[in-house]
Structures are given as structure tokens and as C-alpha cells.
């Protein structure tokens, strides 16, 4: 049972483009929504996170948009660079055990 | 560098065998989590230990077991290995038993190949 659905599975954009990665959840007990970035050969690392009482959060070129009523959230990368090429995972924290549940990931490739 | 150390980085073994993956958490972290990463399932939570005690269990098979030792390092034991167990196994750590901000510190993973 997948509790966090992420799309697309892969994404290719040109340098300077704005890739958008979408996630949806079902469990209303989730109370924190982080995004992780994973480079090849490395473990995932926290990129940015948002609480459900906030509709948008920006950190540098990365923005999370959150729609609580639709139970959806998304990651936007402004002015994307080849160095942003990585796999991005959305996640949800909470539920009965308070675990971090990950989406299946989006492999982003930014072409120069 | 997250400060989480995993060994071995790569492991190739045969079906039916048993392997042990080792993890040392960040200095000061008492919680250790194990995740399995495969292409079709993404990052799947297996199990969590806090200060030596099992705290939460996810999609961990009965053939798999884990423990956390007094020095806080953890081991994941995988037995009666099957081809489908081939995956990247990540260890992650945090200070507290329950995540508040969703921040986990991941190691670089152990890639297991079962032939």
C-alpha cells in the first residue's frame, strides 16, 4: 500500500527550466512533509520541508507548494542547473508509528 | 558527509546465503533506521531501533533481522537470500526516538547483489 504517490518517475529539462515534481497523500495524520535529494552513489539528504499549515515555503531556488484540502504538495526548482540533476523523494511524516514514508522518487536530469 | 558509516559498500552473494550489513550512526544519534531502496519500490522503511531497543517495524521480511548494540552501531542480517533481495540498503540515524522535522541522516548505502 503506497501512502505517498509521486510523479513523474523521471523528468528531463533544459538548464534554466522549472521542473515540477508532484506528490499526493491519503493519510490525514501526516503532519510534516520533507523532500530529500539523492545524488548517484550517495544517500538521500534533506532538502526542504513544510508543515501542512503553510501553503508555500521557499529556500533558495527550491519551493514547496502545499494544498492541504487536495492532499497534494509539489517541489519546484527555479532556474534549474545541471548540478540539480539527482533523484528527488517526497516524504510524509506521521501516522500511527510516526515513521517517514517516502514516495518512489523522481529522477531529474537538467541538460546544459 | 552525513557522519553515518555503512559497510560493506558492495556485496555480491548467492541465493540461499546470509549476509550482515553494518551501520555506525552519527555521533550522538541514538536512533537507527534501515531502509531498502529498489528501482520499483523506492525507499521502503524496514525497521527502527532506539538506544538498543526495537521501536518501529515496517515492511521487513521474516528472513531479515536487525539489532542495535550498546555502542549504538546496528547490524541488519539478511538470510535465505533470494534474487529479489538485490537492492541498496540504507541506514539512517537521528537523535530522538521520534522524528519531529523529518530529518534523517543517511549513510551511502550497501549495495547487495544476489546471484
Amino acid at each position: 500500500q503506497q501512502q505517498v504517490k509521486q510523479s513523474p518517475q523521471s523528468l528531463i529539462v533544459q538548464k534554466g527550466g522549472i521542473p515540477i515534481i508532484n506528490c499526493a497523500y491519503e493519510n490525514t495524520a501526516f503532519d510534516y512533509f520533507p523532500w530529500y535529494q539523492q545524488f548517484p552513489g550517495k544517500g538521500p539528504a534533506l532538502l526542504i520541508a513544510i508543515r501542512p499549515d503553510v501553503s508555500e515555503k521557499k529556500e533558495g531556488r527550491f519551493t514547496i507548494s502545499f494544498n492541504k484540502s487536495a492532499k497534494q504538495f509539489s517541489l519546484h526548482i527555479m532556474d534549474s542547473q545541471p548540478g540539480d540533476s539527482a533523484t528527488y523523494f517526497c516524504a510524509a511524516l506521521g501516522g500511527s508509528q510516526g515513521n517517514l514514508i517516502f514516495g518512489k522518487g523522481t529522477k531529474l536530469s537538467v541538460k546544459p | 558527509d552525513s557522519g553515518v558509516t555503512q559497510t560493506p559498500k558492495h556485496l555480491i552473494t548467492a541465493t540461499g546465503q546470509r549476509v550482515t550489513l553494518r551501520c555506525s550512526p552519527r555521533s550522538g544519534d541514538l536512533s537507527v533506521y534501515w531502509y531498502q531502496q529498489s528501482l520499483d519500490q523506492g525507499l521502503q522503511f524496514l525497521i527502527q531501533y532506539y538506544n538498543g531497543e526495537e521501536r518501529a517495524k515496517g515492511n521487513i521480511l521474516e528472513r531479515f533481522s536487525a539489532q542495535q548494540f550498546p555502542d549504538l552501531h546496528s547490524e541488519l542480517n539478511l538470510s535465505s537470500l533470494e534474487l529479489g533481495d538485490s537492492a541498496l540498503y540504507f541506514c539512517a540515524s537521528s537523535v530522538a526516538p521520534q522524528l519531529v522535522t523529518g530529518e534523517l541522516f543517511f549513510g551511502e548505502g550497501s549495495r547487495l547483489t544476489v546471484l
Side-chain angles (χ1 to χ4, degrees), chain B:
Chain B
D1 183 4
S2 67
V4 178
T5 304
Q6 288 188 248
T7 57
K9 288 194 181 308
H10 301 276
L11 193 53
I12 301 174
T13 189
T15 54
Q17 294 299 304
R18 172 190 166 96
V19 298
T20 297
L21 309 180
R22 183 189 167 103
C23 168
S24 293
R26 281 191 329 158
S27 176
D29 284 357
L30 299 177
S31 253
V32 169
Y33 301 74
W34 286 98
Y35 280 84
Q36 180 191 58
Q37 184 178 26
S38 58
L39 280 175
D40 57 342
Q41 292 298 320
L43 274 166
Q44 294 279 307
F45 168 66
L46 296 179
I47 196 164
Q48 178 200 358
Y49 278 80
Y50 176 73
N51 205 20
E53 300 289 326
E54 180 185 307
R55 187 181 179 276
K57 225 169 186 176
N59 302 321
I60 189 165
L61 299 172
E62 284 192 14
R63 300 183 286 109
F64 296 180
S65 65
Q67 53 185 326
Q68 186 179 26
F69 295 86
D71 67 352
L72 300 176
H73 92 270
S74 178
E75 293 181 356
L76 179 68
N77 302 296
L78 315 174
S79 61
S80 302
L81 285 168
E82 302 175 0
L83 295 177
D85 297 328
S86 296
L88 256 177
Y89 291 85
F90 283 104
C91 169
S93 72
S94 67
V95 172
Q98 191 149 0
L99 294 174
V100 175
T101 62
E103 183 162 23
L104 280 176
F105 296 89
F106 282 83
E108 295 194 344
S110 292
R111 181 173 292 282
L112 173 66
T113 302
V114 182
L115 300 176

Side-chain angles (χ1 to χ4, degrees), chain A:
Chain A
Q1 181 188 0
Q2 188 187 356
Q3 299 188 52
V4 180
K5 292 185 180 179
Q6 183 172 348
S7 62
Q9 198 170 3
S10 63
L11 192 51
I12 301 174
V13 299
Q14 292 294 129
K15 178 183 172 183
I18 306 175
I20 300 172
I21 303 170
N22 299 299
C23 286
Y25 64 98
E26 297 177 359
N27 189 343
T28 55
F30 291 140
D31 54 15
Y32 212 75
F33 299 87
W35 285 85
Y36 277 74
Q37 180 188 53
Q38 182 183 25
F39 292 107
K42 302 293 183 185
L46 180 66
L47 180 65
I48 185 174
I50 195 167
R51 292 193 319 266
D53 56 347
V54 175
S55 61
E56 185 177 278
K57 183 173 181 181
K58 262 184 201 177
E59 282 185 8
R61 295 182 294 105
F62 299 90
T63 300
I64 304 177
S65 298
F66 193 89
N67 185 331
K68 188 173 181 178
S69 60
K71 291 188 281 186
Q72 295 175 347
F73 57 111
S74 59
L75 177 70
H76 301 229
I77 306 175
M78 308 301 289
D79 187 27
S80 59
Q81 301 296 313
D84 297 328
S85 298
T87 299
Y88 292 82
F89 292 93
C90 62
L93 175 66
S96 56
Q97 288 189 317
N99 292 329
L100 196 57
I101 307 298
F102 287 88
K104 289 192 175 184
T106 296
K107 186 172 181 180
L108 172 67
S109 179
V110 182
K111 299 297 184 187

